[in-house]
Amino acid sequence: MFSRKNKSTIDSLIGVATTIEGNLHFKGGLRIDGYVKGNVIAEPGEASMLVISEQAKIDGEVRAGHIVVNGEINGPVFSAELIELQPKARISGDVHYKALEMMSGALVAGKLAHDQLSEPMLKLASSNGA
């Protein structure tokens, strides 16, 4: 009925038996189950979702809009919208985020830095400009 595309759609998958050496640039949704030695970067200015599964490992910088982590990242992480740290998430590096959801068991060895962009995180429901 609605023609709106779900922004959490996964367009590409890197399987558990796959190793990538080099930078990875993507649009839309990407799920990583394997190993990436290099930076994983979403197209700037577009809606993007990155899922890093429990089996996944990334040695490099990670940049995306919405990031779900349940694996291992060794490097800085930049989330333009929301980062979800699942129970088995392991990050060695600074995490820059607009909104953060962290489950019990997730570990971050680095700084958590809230990047407040142009709009505030919370808006009052009764804000009508009066």
Side-chain angles (χ1 to χ4, degrees), residues 13 20 22 31 48 52 67 72 76 79 82 88 92 103 120:
L13 168 70
I20 295 179
R31 178 183 171 109
S48 60
I52 300 165
I67 304 172
E72 182 179 349
S79 173
L82 168 67
K88 295 189 178 179
S92 295
M103 306 285 283

Side-chain angles (χ1 to χ4, degrees), residues 5 7 9 11 26-30 42-43 46-50:
K5 183 180 176 185
K7 74 176 190 175
T9 301
D11 302 310
F26 71 97
K27 290 182 181 182
L30 172 65
E43 185 72 27
E46 292 190 21
S48 60
M49 179 169 195
L50 176 62

Side-chain angles (χ1 to χ4, degrees), residues 19 33 37 48 50 63 106 124:
T19 298
D33 291 336
K37 184 177 182 180
S48 60
L50 176 62
R63 288 183 180 265
L124 296 176

Side-chain angles (χ1 to χ4, degrees), residues 83-95:
I83 183 164
E84 298 177 44
L85 301 179
Q86 301 292 321
K88 295 189 178 179
R90 304 289 178 265
I91 299 177
S92 295
D94 294 344
V95 177

Side-chain angles (χ1 to χ4, degrees), residues 13-19 31-35 53-57:
L13 168 70
I14 297 173
V16 71
T18 304
T19 298
R31 178 183 171 109
I32 299 176
D33 291 336
Y35 173 64
S53 78
E54 185 179 335
Q55 302 90 3
K57 181 177 179 183

